[in-house]
């Protein structure tokens, strides 16, 4: 008697009849024998049995179909580590099924056969027929989850090992199920994409087609009928069905069916969007209309594009009307210390105080080591930390205006950048509110006038007469608290003065149009990111300019003002003073002094 036979005898003596036990029940029974196995020196065999039963069945996955480890840790440890199963262990499993199959249920036999198929590289193929036979007995009804599970494994093995009889049997069986009324029941329709996928895998093997064209088209029409019954709760199911049907239609080269399916897909999204609008679910409606527009564009079916985009805009406007602004209060822990810091800028001499305020802002732009202004690298680190939360892997983030989606972040790096800009803008707005607005208010209370401000800002010799005129007008509008009017003057003016810093010092801000030879100003967003700007301007000022004026993930004020896309909140006091702070810094920025200071740094 071999050792394995002795072990089987030992196990039967203690475990009793195990022929009706499934994988989980047998595992529990085996664990209960641990102490007796230790005493009888059968620990290794018992361990091998338990570990085979502990494997996970990844049969639903059609790409990586097979047995996998129950768990894998970040340090590299795997359990049971199927890839490391030894030859002695394989011999042990082979003996169990070859000589003792009678003692196991179909479910347990299926497990051992599949272990051998996967691990026994030389002889595993010999167990394919046995595995298919026992799993076939476990596939009674395809609407049952366990049956779907084993059916998927049978499909995989029959295709891999070219079991033609099995392929034909399961083509008929799966097709009949898809055509049955049961497949369209509410609790079953969600599994229809999976069933159609199995059917496709069996029918289209390399260049062979294992079902008749009439039957394939009958199944396609059934799939279309299933899509029609999918409401918004099953919208994702409908999308998967469309994918499967388009694959089949392409495989049989039925261009008319492909065209019909694409048209239906667009119409389905529009219909779902219309239903969501009727129900007041504007976010859902926008998603459906956006998908419809995407499919119209991808499929080259543009006849309904104008209607779709019109519906999408209405949905986005409806979203904007239902969204309320979020505001928050932040308490200053030591109010006395805070006001002492603010009052350091106020001496009773308003023109001098304004010079000190401007000087303080510029000093921190030139050297931001204390982090008074936001820093792009620091904001990126915060964004990366925030994005590392696993929850963001399952959602997409969108930045919306009242009429359109500005940007969407679904990939890791896109989400990090979204959070980076969110942190950066929040820092800017808080600094503007708790420092710049307050010191300007105190200076105005002490007698600072718009004339005092204008006199200092227009004193730079390199400003043009138009620059000076518009600065005076902008300051007057700010002082009158006409913030919308101020923004419409100050924002284009900032761009103009920013460019003039370069043109005054004989550096080109234009390019030649290759079509007509005309001289064109570089787009401001492109100009800010140019190497020339990085070389001659402080990084902090460049980053702030980009985030506030030109980047869609930032405030993007220059673009929004130019194209009439600003929101109401863009014209509030906080944003106006943020723009004014930028205007006074670019106007009072000393190009020559900065160049000399940077040169000294390099030499040192």
């Amino acid at each position: 008697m071999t050792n394995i036979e002795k072990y089987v005898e030992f196990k039967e003596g203690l475990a009793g009849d195990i022929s009706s036990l499934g994988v989980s029940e047998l595992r529990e029974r085996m664990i209960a024998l641990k102490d007796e196995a230790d005493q009888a020196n059968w620990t290794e065999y018992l361990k091998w049995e338990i570990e085979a039963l502990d494997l996970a069945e990844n049969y639903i996955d059609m790409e990586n179909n097979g047995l996998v480890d129950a768990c894998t840790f970040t340090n590299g440890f795997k359990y049971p580590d199927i890839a490391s199963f030894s030859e002695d262990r394989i011999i042990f499993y082979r003996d169990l099924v070859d000589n003792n199959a009678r003692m196991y249920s179909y479910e347990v036999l299926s497990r051992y056969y599949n272990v051998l198929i996967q691990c026994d590289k030389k002889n595993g193929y010999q167990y394919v027929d046995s595995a298919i036979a026992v799993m076939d007995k476990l596939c009674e009804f395809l609407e049952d989850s366990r049956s779907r599970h084993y059916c998927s494994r049978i499909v995989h093995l029959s295709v891999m090992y070219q079991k033609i009889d099995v392929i034909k049997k399961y083509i008929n069986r799966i097709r009949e199920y898809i055509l049955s009324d049961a497949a369209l029941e509410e609790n079953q329709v969600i599994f229809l994409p999976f069933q159609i996928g199995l059917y496709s895998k069996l029918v289209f093997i390399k260049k062979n087609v294992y079902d008749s064209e009439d039957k394939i088209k009958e199944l396609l029409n059934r799939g279309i009928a299933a899509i029609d019954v999918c409401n918004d709760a099953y919208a994702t199911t409908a999308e998967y069905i469309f994918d499967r049907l388009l694959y089949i239609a392409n495989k049989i080269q039925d261009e008319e069916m492909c065209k019909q399916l694409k048209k239906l897909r667009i119409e389905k999204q529009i219909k779902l969007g219309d239903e969501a609008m009727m129900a007041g679910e504007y976010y859902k409606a926008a998603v459906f209309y956006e998908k419809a527009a995407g499919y119209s564009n991808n499929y080259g079916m543009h006849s309904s594009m104008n209607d779709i985009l019109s519906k999408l805009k209405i949905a986005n406007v409806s979203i904007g009307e239902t969204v309320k602004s979020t505001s928050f209060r932040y308490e200053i822990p030591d109010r006395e210390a805070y006001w002492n810091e603010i009052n350091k800028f106020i001496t009773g001499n308003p023109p001098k105080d304004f010079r000190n305020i401007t000087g303080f802002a510029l000093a921190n732009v030139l050297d931001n080591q204390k982090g008074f202004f936001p820093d792009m690298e620091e904001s990126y680190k915060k964004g990366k930390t925030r994005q590392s939360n696993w929850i963001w892997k399952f959602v997409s983030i969108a930045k919306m205006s009242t009429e359109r989606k500005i940007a969407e972040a679904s990939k890791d790096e896109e989400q990090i950048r979204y959070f980076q800009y969110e942190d950066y803008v929040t820092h800017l707005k808080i600094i503007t509110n708790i420092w710049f607005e307050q010191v300007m208010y105190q200076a105005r209370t002490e007698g600072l006038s718009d004339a005092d401000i204008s006199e200092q800002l227009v004193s730079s010799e390199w400003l043009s007469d138009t620059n000076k005129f518009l600065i005076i007008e902008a300051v007057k509008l700010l002082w009158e608290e006409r913030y919308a009017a101020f923004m419409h003057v100050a924002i284009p003016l900032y761009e103009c003065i920013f460019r003039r810093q370069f043109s005054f010092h004989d550096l080109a801000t234009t390019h030649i149009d290759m079509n007509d030879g005309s001289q064109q100003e570089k787009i401001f967003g492109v100009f800010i990111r140019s190497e020339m700007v990085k070389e001659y301007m402080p990084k902090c000022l460049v980053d702030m300019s980009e985030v506030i004026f030109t980047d869609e993930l930032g405030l993007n004020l220059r673009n929004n003002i130019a194209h009439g896309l600003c929101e109401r909140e863009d014209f509030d006091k906080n944003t106006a003073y943020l723009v004014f702070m930028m205007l006074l810094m670019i106007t009072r920025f000393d190009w020559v002094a900065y160049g000399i200071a940077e040169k000294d740094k390099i030499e040192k």
Side-chain angles (χ1 to χ4, degrees):
M1 185 180 290
T2 66
N3 280 343
I4 296 176
E5 288 173 331
K6 291 177 182 176
Y7 167 73
V8 170
E9 188 178 86
F10 156 80
K11 184 172 67 173
E12 284 185 308
L14 290 175
D17 183 12
I18 57 174
S19 61
S20 62
L21 301 183
V23 169
S24 297
E25 294 87 354
L26 180 59
R27 176 186 177 277
E28 294 303 316
R29 187 76 62 89
M30 293 295 98
I31 289 173
L33 300 180
K34 185 178 181 303
D35 291 340
E36 289 84 352
D38 287 346
Q39 294 174 10
N41 294 321
W42 297 123
T43 305
E44 185 174 51
Y45 286 166
L46 185 70
K47 174 176 173 288
W48 287 350
E49 278 218 77
I50 292 170
E51 289 184 351
L53 300 172
D54 272 338
L55 289 165
E57 294 177 344
N58 193 40
Y59 296 163
I60 295 295
D61 187 340
M62 285 189 274
E63 297 301 321
N64 301 298
N65 192 291
L67 294 165
V68 295
D69 294 314
C71 52
T72 302
F73 296 89
T74 54
N75 64 3
F77 176 77
K78 299 175 184 179
Y79 176 82
D81 196 7
I82 188 172
S84 68
F85 283 7
S86 66
E87 182 61 30
D88 287 343
R89 185 191 291 229
I90 300 302
I91 293 169
F92 170 70
Y93 295 143
R94 196 185 302 144
D95 192 279
L96 286 182
V97 296
D98 287 349
N99 300 315
N100 301 283
R102 57 173 177 75
M103 67 187 298
Y104 294 117
S105 66
Y106 290 140
E107 187 177 322
V108 174
L109 280 175
S110 165
R111 172 62 58 87
Y112 283 125
Y113 287 139
N114 279 294
V115 168
L116 290 168
I117 292 167
Q118 192 164 326
C119 298
D120 190 346
K121 304 303 180 187
K122 291 181 180 178
N123 303 302
Y125 70 92
Q126 296 176 3
Y127 295 94
V128 171
D129 290 334
S130 298
I132 290 174
V134 296
M135 288 190 292
D136 185 64
K137 296 180 185 300
L138 296 168
C139 287
E140 294 182 47
F141 308 101
L142 290 186
E143 59 264 44
D144 170 69
S145 60
R146 189 177 81 156
S147 294
R148 285 192 294 271
H149 176 80
Y150 288 113
C151 179
S152 179
R153 182 62 175 169
I154 291 170
V155 168
H156 175 77
L157 292 177
S158 64
V159 171
M160 176 177 281
Y161 292 96
Q162 285 294 287
K163 302 295 181 180
I164 303 301
D165 290 342
V166 178
I167 289 171
K168 290 180 178 179
K169 175 182 176 179
Y170 272 81
I171 284 173
N172 290 327
R173 189 171 179 190
I174 293 169
R175 184 186 352 92
E176 286 171 9
Y177 171 74
I178 292 170
L179 296 175
S180 70
D181 292 338
L184 295 189
E185 291 176 5
E186 188 173 352
N187 65 336
Q188 290 297 316
V189 73
I190 195 171
F191 301 109
L192 204 54
F194 174 71
Q195 302 287 4
I196 297 173
L198 290 181
Y199 174 82
S200 301
K201 188 170 182 178
L202 289 166
V203 171
F204 305 108
I205 302 173
K206 297 181 180 178
K207 294 183 179 181
N208 298 312
V209 179
Y210 287 98
D211 208 2
S212 70
E213 189 170 331
D214 288 344
K215 289 179 178 178
I216 292 172
K217 287 185 176 180
E218 186 182 9
L219 183 133
L220 286 171
N221 288 322
R222 183 60 165 182
I224 291 170
I227 288 166
D228 193 50
V229 302
C230 289
N231 57 23
D232 69 321
Y234 293 93
T236 304
T237 300
E239 285 290 274
Y240 287 142
I241 295 174
F242 270 121
D243 286 337
R244 302 290 191 270
L245 299 184
L246 279 166
Y247 172 80
I248 294 172
N250 277 310
K251 292 296 284 186
I252 63 174
Q253 299 180 350
D254 189 334
E255 293 183 11
E256 195 59 39
M257 178 59 79
C258 285
K259 187 176 179 181
Q260 182 188 345
L261 285 167
K262 290 173 181 178
K263 185 171 180 289
L264 283 171
R265 190 171 209 171
I266 296 166
E267 291 172 352
K268 181 69 177 180
Q269 297 302 321
I270 295 172
K271 181 184 176 184
L272 291 171
D274 291 345
E275 290 171 354
M277 285 295 290
M278 290 287 290
E281 297 178 312
Y282 306 124
Y283 283 103
K284 271 188 181 179
V287 169
F288 291 133
Y289 292 142
E290 200 171 76
K291 283 185 177 180
Y295 290 136
S296 294
N297 188 53
N298 293 339
Y299 297 153
M301 296 178 166
H302 299 127
S303 59
S304 58
M305 181 66 87
N306 188 65
D307 182 49
I308 296 168
L309 292 178
S310 176
K311 289 174 181 284
L312 177 59
K313 184 169 184 177
I314 292 169
N316 283 330
V317 169
S318 301
I319 291 170
E321 289 172 350
T322 57
V323 171
K324 299 189 181 298
S325 298
T326 301
S327 60
F328 62 92
R329 291 174 58 86
Y330 41 84
E331 295 293 331
I332 296 173
D334 190 338
R335 296 181 64 83
E336 184 178 349
Y338 166 71
W339 284 111
N340 286 339
E341 291 296 323
I342 295 296
N343 289 325
K344 285 180 182 178
F345 295 92
I346 310 302
T347 66
N349 184 338
K352 179 184 175 183
D353 294 343
F354 182 67
R355 277 194 297 274
N356 288 339
I357 292 166
T358 306
F360 179 80
L362 278 169
N364 281 282
V365 160
L366 296 172
D367 185 1
N368 194 34
Q369 289 186 9
K370 293 182 179 179
F372 182 80
F373 289 118
D375 178 86
M376 268 297 188
E377 283 71 26
E378 286 301 314
S379 291
Y380 182 85
K381 290 176 185 175
K382 291 178 184 177
K384 193 168 184 178
T385 300
R386 187 172 170 189
Q387 196 278 333
S388 64
N389 188 324
W390 62 268
I391 196 69
W392 299 113
K393 297 186 183 299
F394 302 98
V395 297
S396 178
I397 307 165
K399 183 176 181 180
M400 302 287 297
S401 74
T402 54
E403 295 189 356
R404 65 193 178 94
K405 182 187 289 185
I406 298 169
E408 184 170 21
S410 54
K411 297 177 181 177
D412 288 357
E413 194 59 36
E414 290 172 349
Q415 290 183 343
I416 293 171
R417 192 164 176 265
Y418 178 90
F419 292 136
Q420 174 190 21
Y421 275 70
E422 186 179 60
D423 176 80
Y424 194 97
V425 169
T426 302
H427 188 144
L428 271 177
K429 283 186 160 288
I430 289 175
I431 284 296
T432 303
N433 182 250
I434 68 174
W435 176 69
F436 189 61
E437 286 183 51
Q438 302 306 323
V439 293
M440 290 300 296
Y441 174 80
Q442 292 298 105
R444 185 172 185 175
T445 302
E446 292 292 315
L448 181 67
S449 67
D450 58 321
D452 294 329
I453 296 171
S454 298
E455 183 181 352
Q456 291 188 33
L457 296 186
V458 301
S459 62
S460 299
E461 60 175 10
W462 53 273
L463 292 170
S464 70
D465 290 341
T466 303
N467 292 156
K468 293 175 182 179
F469 167 74
L470 290 173
I471 287 170
I472 293 168
E473 290 299 311
V475 173
K476 190 184 298 183
L477 291 168
L478 183 75
W479 231 235
E480 292 171 357
E481 299 183 3
R482 296 167 60 190
Y483 300 130
F486 163 78
M487 302 277 271
H488 277 85
V489 175
I491 290 171
L493 178 60
Y494 181 87
E495 177 184 351
C496 182
I497 293 173
F498 193 99
R499 292 179 187 276
R500 189 166 176 80
Q501 285 270 16
F502 291 84
S503 60
F504 184 80
H505 293 92
D506 300 323
L507 294 168
T509 64
T510 59
H511 65 92
I512 302 298
D513 190 305
M514 300 305 292
N515 293 320
D516 59 13
S518 61
Q519 210 171 354
Q520 303 286 337
E521 285 286 352
K522 296 174 183 175
I523 297 170
F524 192 37
V526 175
F527 181 64
I528 285 177
R529 291 191 293 271
S530 68
E531 290 302 318
M532 180 176 71
V533 169
K534 292 176 183 176
E535 181 180 353
Y536 288 99
M537 282 283 187
K539 183 179 184 305
C540 183
L541 185 60
V542 173
D543 288 343
M544 288 167 68
S545 299
E546 185 174 1
V547 172
I548 294 169
F549 296 109
T550 67
D551 199 297
E552 64 180 8
L553 282 179
L555 298 177
N556 203 16
L557 294 176
R558 179 67 186 95
N559 178 70
N560 292 344
I561 284 285
H563 299 289
L565 299 174
C566 279
E567 307 289 335
R568 185 173 179 178
E569 55 266 27
D570 288 333
F571 299 118
D572 63 10
K573 179 181 179 182
N574 181 254
T575 309
Y577 269 84
L578 173 57
V579 170
F580 179 55
M581 182 171 66
M582 295 297 293
L583 185 63
L584 72 86
M585 285 194 290
I586 195 64
T587 306
R588 301 301 294 156
F589 175 68
D590 191 328
W591 180 287
V592 176
Y594 175 69
I596 293 170
E598 288 299 295
K599 186 178 178 182
D600 287 345
K601 279 184 187 178
I602 293 169
E603 288 176 353
K604 287 179 182 178

